[in-house]
Amino acid sequence: MRVLLSTYGSRGDVEPIAGLAAALQELGADLRVCAPPDDEFVDVLARAGVAPVPGFAPLRDWVTKLKKQPATDPARRAAEIIETAKRIVSTQFDVMAAAAEGCDAILATGLFPSVAAAQAVAEQRGLRFACAAFCPRFLPSEHHRPYEYPTRPHPPGVSDNRVLWQHDLQTQAALFGEGINTLRGRIGLAPLENLRDPIITRRPWLAADPILAPWQPTDLRDVVQTGAWILSDERPLPAELIAFLEAGTPPVYVGFGSMPMQALKEASRLAVEACRARGRRVVLAHGWAELDLIADRADGLAVGDINQQALFRRVAAVLHHGGAGTTTAAARAGVPQVIVPQVADQPYWGSRVAQLGIGASDGASVPSFDGLSDSLAKALAPETRARAAALAGTIRVDGAATAARLLLAPASV
């Protein structure tokens, strides 16, 4: 069976796809993967034994450029989103239409216009199609609110989640409808008035751990929760990092992953100061914000892309942005977490870590020294470490294998 996997998103989107790709290949599937052509994503997919078909544009360059642009008024920003969505859905369709030759099924994740392009390829060719999300927040349910787009805020005073998910339908149509329906007309498909439901399907997949992110039953969507898709990482830690770890007490890891916001430079400085104020050494990840230690001191080390699965087992706490992948990796390692959420699903993961008692998050995207210090104190408390260690053994590691079997089973999607 030949399968096309598609994503257009950050490392948190690409690495789970790589995990699924590895599991599918173990079951004998023939694979094609469409992903952003960033060098680091090519390296991640190479660990799974696949070379990606390059998608729309390198994500890091595109996102970093967007973040550096001056703020614009909501109407202009909405127009920019609409035009970008048009380009993404058109380009991604052309790429995936070529990649899907000979395929039997398509699974898509990532930005909605890219998923829409994948769904259009599947519909046009009569292929099986599955849509997957990595956080419950992106799937309709009366138990949580939908993602709030910056140019389309939720109606003031509305607390009924069902009403908010109806508003989400209107938002999808306003921002993405023109681009998606223009594409569908170009390829001979009928336009969609309700964009969201045919694209994410009535039975989407939730690739998240059921302890970290439990799905509550709802009549709004019949969700299949597979567990998180984890790519095994066998890379050795750099010699310099091993020497640093062995030279003293376990440090705190500080990293914000694929978040390019320049404000994170100040956040990382405060985080390092808060760690040092508590007598803790620091491992700081450069990430997309190109973070670095301000002072060259023996109690800190800055690193590039490293094996988090190996490192997190050797640190005192993980202070991060709250991406699904980093949250799951820290939970698997049994290490406490401090989450400083920035966008999208990150506030959700911060709230879950706090609710489970395996870390702390005050929800502030622009943290203060006092806030970080208080959160660190909670995370470093013995009882928090004990809860984190106990939870580690409950995290499922078979999510990718479960999803691979479902995808290859007849009539499963």
Side-chain angles (χ1 to χ4, degrees):
M1 182 175 180
R2 178 174 291 174
V3 177
L4 172 60
L5 305 179
S6 167
T7 190
Y8 193 76
S10 69
R11 174 72 172 263
D13 296 283
V14 175
E15 188 155 334
I17 285 290
L20 178 59
L24 283 165
Q25 289 179 114
E26 287 184 4
L27 295 177
D30 181 15
L31 279 187
R32 291 176 182 171
V33 179
C34 179
D38 302 68
D39 289 344
E40 64 190 273
F41 299 161
V42 173
D43 292 343
V44 168
L45 288 162
R47 285 166 39 207
V50 295
V53 177
F56 171 63
L59 187 80
R60 182 170 182 173
D61 293 345
W62 178 55
V63 171
T64 302
K65 181 180 178 181
L66 284 178
K67 294 302 180 184
K68 289 182 177 179
Q69 290 178 349
T72 58
D73 64 85
R76 182 176 174 183
R77 180 69 182 120
E80 292 169 350
I81 292 173
I82 291 168
E83 289 305 310
T84 301
K86 288 180 185 178
R87 296 197 302 273
I88 291 175
V89 71
S90 178
T91 303
Q92 289 291 89
F93 175 85
D94 292 339
V95 168
M96 283 185 276
E101 288 293 335
C103 287
D104 304 288
I106 300 176
L107 180 140
T109 72
L111 295 182
F112 187 78
S114 179
V115 176
Q119 187 275 334
V121 173
E123 182 178 345
Q124 185 192 49
R125 301 190 179 192
L127 306 180
R128 295 161 58 195
F129 177 74
C131 171
F134 302 122
C135 175
R137 191 179 183 191
F138 298 117
L139 301 175
S141 170
E142 73 271 21
H143 302 298
H144 55 255
R145 298 157 68 89
Y147 171 66
E148 187 173 30
Y149 288 86
T151 62
R152 299 275 300 187
H154 294 329
V158 176
S159 58
D160 186 331
N161 288 335
R162 287 179 178 269
V163 174
L164 292 176
W165 279 104
Q166 283 298 120
H167 175 73
D168 182 69
L169 277 178
Q170 299 165 11
T171 295
Q172 302 277 14
L175 296 178
F176 309 127
E178 184 177 354
I180 290 171
N181 281 327
T182 296
L183 167 71
R184 291 178 65 85
R186 170 163 73 89
I187 63 175
L189 297 178
L192 297 174
E193 182 177 352
N194 174 343
L195 294 179
R196 185 190 67 208
D197 292 342
I199 290 170
I200 71 169
T201 76
R202 283 294 305 173
R203 202 166 185 257
W205 294 7
L206 176 58
D209 185 80
I211 299 296
L212 291 177
W215 179 261
Q216 297 176 266
T218 171
D219 61 359
L220 293 182
R221 204 66 51 181
D222 181 19
V223 168
V224 177
Q225 186 159 20
T226 64
W229 302 344
I230 299 169
L231 176 66
S232 179
D233 196 340
E234 304 300 329
R235 294 175 296 165
L237 295 175
E240 183 184 21
L241 176 55
I242 292 175
F244 178 78
L245 292 170
E246 294 177 348
T249 56
V252 173
Y253 171 90
V254 177
F256 295 99
S258 303
M259 298 292 100
M261 298 80 158
Q262 292 305 296
L264 290 176
K265 291 183 183 295
E266 175 64 9
S268 69
R269 184 187 68 80
L270 293 174
V272 170
E273 288 183 359
C275 291
R276 285 172 169 163
R278 294 192 169 275
R280 294 287 178 170
R281 304 188 305 151
V282 177
V283 172
L284 177 69
H286 294 303
W288 284 14
E290 300 178 348
L291 308 177
D292 213 339
L293 294 164
I294 296 173
D296 185 14
R297 291 171 41 172
D299 65 350
L301 180 69
V303 298
D305 179 34
I306 43 84
N307 181 343
Q308 290 184 343
Q309 294 171 16
L311 175 60
F312 285 1
R313 293 194 294 267
R314 303 184 63 173
V315 301
V318 175
L319 191 157
H320 64 107
H321 57 300
T326 308
T327 303
T328 303
R332 282 186 68 211
V335 62
Q337 308 182 45
V338 173
I339 293 183
V340 182
Q342 299 300 303
V343 296
D345 59 339
Q346 295 164 17
Y348 172 86
W349 296 111
S351 66
R352 286 299 298 156
V353 161
Q355 289 165 9
L356 290 166
I358 60 172
S361 176
D362 64 6
S365 60
V366 181
S368 65
F369 174 84
D370 289 342
L372 286 171
S373 184
D374 289 346
S375 292
L376 272 171
K378 294 175 184 176
L380 294 170
E383 59 270 23
T384 306
R385 174 164 284 278
R387 283 191 292 268
L391 186 91
T394 71
I395 303 299
R396 287 181 55 180
V397 296
D398 64 343
T402 298
R405 290 192 296 270
L406 284 171
L407 193 56
L408 298 181
S412 63
V413 295

